[in-house]
Structures are given as structure tokens and as C-alpha cells.
Amino acid sequence: MMTPTTGIDTARVDKFEARRRELADAALQTLSELGYARTSLREIAQNSPFSHGVLHYYFRDKVELITYCVRRYKAVCVRRYDEIVAEATTAEELSAGFAEAIVTTLVADATMHRLWYDLRSQALFEESFRADVLEIDNTLQRMIWRVVSRYAELVGTGPSTPAATTYVMFDGLFQRALLLHLSGAETAADELRTGVRHLLELVAPPDLNR
Amino acid sequence: MMTPTTGIDTARVDKFEARRRELADAALQTLSELGYARTSLREIAQNSPFSHGVLHYYFRDKVELITYCVRRYKAVCVRRYDEIVAEATTAEELSAGFAEAIVTTLVADATMHRLWYDLRSQALFEESFRADVLEIDNTLQRMIWRVVSRYAELVGTGPSTPAATTYVMFDGLFQRALLLHLSGAETAADELRTGVRHLLELVAPPDLNR
DNA sequence: AACGATTTTGGACGACTGTCGAGTTCTTCT
DNA sequence: AGAAGAACTCGACAGTCGTCCAAAATCGTT
């Protein structure tokens, strides 16, 4: 017979999880500011209402904290991109809306995006990060695929490129734009906008026989 | 009147530079193994015939060493890609040779490539890395552009995409393949090969009116 | 109000970091 | 051979790191 889940137990678990999230958010804040290599547990704690000791009360060690952060980042990420997927009725509308949304997040959430690329690079070295990174990549890939598929549909054709390839092309475009933007290039946003629109046309070419 | 450059002076400078290169190569070895975040000066020295103190004899501080390493990496990189640029006489030959060369370096030089992506991510946080990273990126972009231009020429058309966009698409493709390869996916190499060939066709579509 | 459990604090620990400099070894030239 | 300078070693330094833990504070229940 299983132990029934009492109300008090779930309340405790909820509170525990809430605090974990709170600490993870403070950690994400610090990580996006300093980067993985320069972020310490004490620095994270200073950007939170707690002392540094509490981190080991809610997380076994640093790896578990960072892993939890990466997973949490994904939630933020998906939400962000879900907002991007517009309910456009024409190809032109979708293309313009999508490009605009990407450019907006490039500028508004630059530090969070650079953290993502930092952690993805860490996954090249630390095996413990790989599973989560690959999962986030796949999630983003599906997002992009939905946009491109819909665009191709509106244009009256099918995507000319596999989902995986399509995603990495958009990702490469964004990554480069992020570096330029953080380097102070005012042209970064504009280049990204035209790049995205060009790429959309490329992977979903207008059906000439329509 | 300028001070004439004596033979002995240049010999000393040469020796000094030679040792700097030697130390930088040891550092690159260690960096590619451990990643930026986990590499210390002592660890670098242990992967060299010298003690850790010597690093401050040849480099002012850690930043100068790493910067020198990045610049040196570029030299290796360019050499590598220069080998890739084949003297193909047909589009098919060039496409096959280029794809094959990329797949080969993906497997053979995986740790060096992951170091590059690590350092490029660091440039998102540390301003001191940006100039060198951007320069290397531009160099790689020109390499890719040469291949794509030549391919388009052989196909009898012009590239359909600007140089910057073309580069980041190939780069995104490679970056993803590297993560998959290091994660143990045997399919990574094959996917990269087909991805590269597909992308070549995409950015330099065969001229149907020829 | 008082008790036990949970949560939080902050100091201590050993290990490691980048940096520095005094001393030793090796080169080079007269 | 011996002096002068360059090249190198290695211990010391002041910090910082992740981790742990005993004590204090807070909370929920009676």
C-alpha cells in the first residue's frame, strides 16, 4: 500500500521547490551577467536575499544548481519563443512579425541569450550538461520548424530544408548578431532582420508554378 | 637616425617569440582539453616542459596569454581551412571534397574546435576577447566565401546569399555537428556531410536556364 | 507559551587561483 | 676561465573557491 500524499507534505514540497526556483533565478541573473567561468556560489547568493550557505541546503552541489538553472532557462526560453510564433494570415505578415520578434529579443534579452551560448559551449566539455543542452536545442528546433512550416504553407510550398538544418542556420544567424550587438555594432539588429527574412525565403522558396 | 637592428637582437627576439609560441601551444593543448573555465596557469605549465613561474616571464598576465593563444589558434585554423579549399574542376568534385574535408576536421580536431566555440562565447562576456574573435570570424567567413563563390562559378550561377549569412549557416551546421559528435552520436559526421552538400546547393542553386 | 522541526546564518576548512620576487641555473661573450 | 645577463625554478602571498557544519533564527503545531 502506498503512502498517501497528505496536503501538508505537498505544501512542504511546493515551498521547497519555490525556494529552489527563487535561488535558481538569482543564479541565472548572475550567470547571465558574469558568465559561467566567473560566477561563484557566493556571488549568486549576494544577488539573492540569502547567504551563501543556503545554496547547499537546496542543492547538493554546484553542478546540480547549474543543471537546475539550465532547465529553468529552457522554461523561460520556450515561453519567449512561443510569444514569437505569431498568428499571421499572410506570408509577408509572418515573415515581418517573426523577424521583428527575434530582433526584439536580441536586444532586450541579450544577456540571457549569451548565457545560453556559454552553457552550450560548456556542454562541449562537461558531459553532465549535454542532455539538457540537447533537449533545449531540440525544443528550439521545433519552434523554428513550426514557423518555417507555417511560412512555407502560406507561400504555397513545402520547406526545402530538413528541420535540423533549418534550425542551425537561424541559430548561427542569431549567434553572430548577438556577438555584434554586444560589441556595440548598431547594424547588428538590422542585419539580423534582413538575414532572417532572407533565410525564410531561402528555406521556403515561393512556388513559381502556383 | 634609427637604431640599426643587429643580428643578435633579432636572434634574441626570435628565441623569445619561439618560446612564447611553445608555451602558447601547450596552453592551447590544455585549453582544448579542459575548456576556458577550468584551465589554470599551473595546469598549462604542467603540460609543458617548464614550471608555472615562467609564464609570467613571457606573458604579462593570464589575459595576455589567452589572447596570444587565440591569435595563434587563428593561424592553425587558417592553415587548416586552406588545405580544405580544393582545386576542384567540377561542382560535384568541389562539393564532395569540401564536405569530406569538413567532416574529417570535425572528427580529427574536435577538441580544438570546441575550444574555439568556448572562446567565442567568452567574447560575449569579456570585451578583451572580442576584437580577436571577430577577426577570426571574418577570416573564416572569407574562407567559406571562397569555396561558395567557386562552387557557384562551377555551377554557372552566383551565390544567392551574402557572405556573412552564408558563413553563419555553415558555422551553425558545424557547431551542432560538433556537439552531437562529442556526445557520441555516430550519425553526426554523416549528417554534417549531407548538410554541407545541401547547403551548398541552397546558397548556389544550379542555373536552370543554362 | 512552548516545543520540535525546518530553515537560515556565517564562520571554518582545505584546496586552488593569479601573481610576484629572490634565488638558482644556464648562455653568451670577452 | 670568468663575468654579465638571460632564462628558469619554486616557494610565498593574498584571495577566492566549493563545501561543510554547529549554532541561531524562524516556523508550525499543540
Side-chain angles (χ1 to χ4, degrees):
Chain A
M1 191 165 92
M2 292 184 59
T3 306
T5 307
T6 70
I8 181 165
D9 271 359
T10 59
R12 180 154 41 246
V13 168
D14 282 357
K15 198 179 170 193
F16 192 80
E17 267 302 310
R19 177 96 352 158
R20 274 169 76 98
R21 274 198 293 272
E22 187 179 357
L23 289 172
D25 284 341
L28 280 171
Q29 180 65 34
T30 308
L31 282 165
S32 69
E33 207 58 51
L34 301 179
Y36 175 82
R38 286 161 293 280
T39 297
S40 69
L41 295 183
R42 283 172 173 81
E43 193 78 32
I44 291 173
Q46 275 190 343
N47 283 17
S48 85
F50 305 99
S51 75
H52 70 271
V54 84
L55 287 169
H56 280 85
Y57 184 79
Y58 289 97
F59 299 95
R60 189 164 12 93
D61 55 15
K62 195 185 181 183
V63 172
E64 189 185 288
L65 168 62
I66 303 279
T67 302
Y68 189 91
C69 284
V70 176
R71 292 217 181 86
R72 180 138 183 80
Y73 169 83
K74 177 192 159 185
V76 176
C77 220
V78 168
R79 211 178 312 139
R80 201 186 309 283
Y81 275 72
D82 263 340
E83 295 164 5
I84 287 176
V85 178
E87 321 81 341
T89 56
T90 69
E92 167 57 27
E93 201 180 325
L94 177 56
S95 173
F98 180 56
E100 212 49 47
I102 282 194
V103 167
T104 301
T105 190
L106 169 80
V107 176
D109 314 305
T111 63
M112 267 300 169
H113 289 300
R114 75 177 169 184
L115 172 60
W116 159 242
Y117 290 118
D118 190 11
L119 292 176
R120 195 167 71 175
S121 293
Q122 295 310 312
L124 296 173
F125 296 90
E126 286 208 17
E127 197 243 324
S128 46
F129 290 170
R130 277 178 203 159
D132 288 307
V133 162
L134 285 172
E135 193 190 329
I136 295 179
D137 251 344
N138 286 335
T139 304
L140 297 177
Q141 178 177 315
R142 282 191 293 271
M143 298 280 174
I144 294 291
W145 190 241
R146 256 175 266 148
V147 175
V148 171
S149 302
R150 177 69 181 136
Y151 179 83
E153 195 183 344
L154 288 171
V155 166
T157 176
S160 69
T161 312
T165 309
T166 305
Y167 165 61
V168 298
M169 293 188 321
F170 278 100
D171 183 68
L173 210 56
F174 189 84
Q175 199 175 346
R176 168 80 171 175
L178 182 62
L179 178 57
L180 290 177
H181 172 66
L182 289 171
S183 299
E186 297 92 353
T187 61
D190 282 340
E191 280 179 32
L192 177 59
R193 189 180 356 252
T194 54
V196 164
R197 303 199 63 167
H198 174 82
L199 194 48
L200 267 181
E201 275 187 45
L202 202 62
V203 299
D207 185 357
L208 300 176
N209 304 328
R210 198 153 71 113
Chain B
M1 192 167 88
M2 292 185 59
T3 307
T5 307
T6 69
I8 181 164
D9 271 358
T10 60
R12 175 143 58 240
V13 168
D14 282 357
K15 198 178 171 194
F16 192 80
E17 268 302 307
R19 180 108 321 161
R20 273 168 77 96
R21 274 197 294 272
E22 186 178 359
L23 289 171
D25 284 342
L28 280 171
Q29 180 65 34
T30 308
L31 282 165
S32 69
E33 206 59 51
L34 301 179
Y36 175 82
R38 286 161 293 281
T39 297
S40 70
L41 294 183
R42 282 171 173 81
E43 192 78 33
I44 291 172
Q46 275 190 342
N47 284 16
S48 86
F50 306 98
S51 75
H52 69 271
V54 85
L55 288 168
H56 280 84
Y57 185 79
Y58 290 96
F59 299 95
R60 189 164 15 91
D61 55 15
K62 195 184 182 184
V63 172
E64 189 185 290
L65 168 60
I66 302 281
T67 303
Y68 188 90
C69 284
V70 177
R71 291 217 181 85
R72 181 137 182 80
Y73 169 83
K74 178 194 160 186
V76 177
C77 222
V78 169
R79 211 179 312 139
R80 202 187 308 284
Y81 275 73
D82 264 341
E83 294 165 6
I84 287 177
V85 178
E87 321 82 342
T89 56
T90 70
E92 165 58 26
E93 200 180 326
L94 177 57
S95 173
F98 180 57
E100 211 50 46
I102 283 196
V103 168
T104 301
T105 188
L106 170 80
V107 175
D109 314 305
T111 63
M112 267 301 167
H113 289 299
R114 76 177 170 184
L115 172 61
W116 159 242
Y117 289 118
D118 191 10
L119 292 176
R120 196 168 69 176
S121 293
Q122 296 310 313
L124 295 173
F125 295 91
E126 284 209 17
E127 197 243 323
S128 45
F129 289 170
R130 277 179 203 157
D132 289 308
V133 162
L134 285 171
E135 193 191 330
I136 295 179
D137 250 345
N138 286 335
T139 304
L140 296 177
Q141 177 177 315
R142 282 190 294 270
M143 298 278 176
I144 293 291
W145 190 241
R146 258 176 266 146
V147 174
V148 170
S149 301
R150 177 69 182 137
Y151 178 83
E153 194 183 346
L154 288 171
V155 166
T157 176
S160 68
T161 312
T165 310
T166 305
Y167 165 61
V168 298
M169 293 189 319
F170 278 100
D171 182 68
L173 210 57
F174 189 84
Q175 198 175 346
R176 168 79 170 175
L178 182 62
L179 178 57
L180 290 178
H181 172 67
L182 289 171
S183 300
E186 297 92 352
T187 63
D190 282 341
E191 281 179 31
L192 177 60
R193 187 179 358 249
T194 54
V196 164
R197 304 198 62 168
H198 174 83
L199 194 49
L200 267 182
E201 275 188 43
L202 201 62
V203 298
D207 185 358
L208 301 175
N209 303 328
R210 199 154 70 111

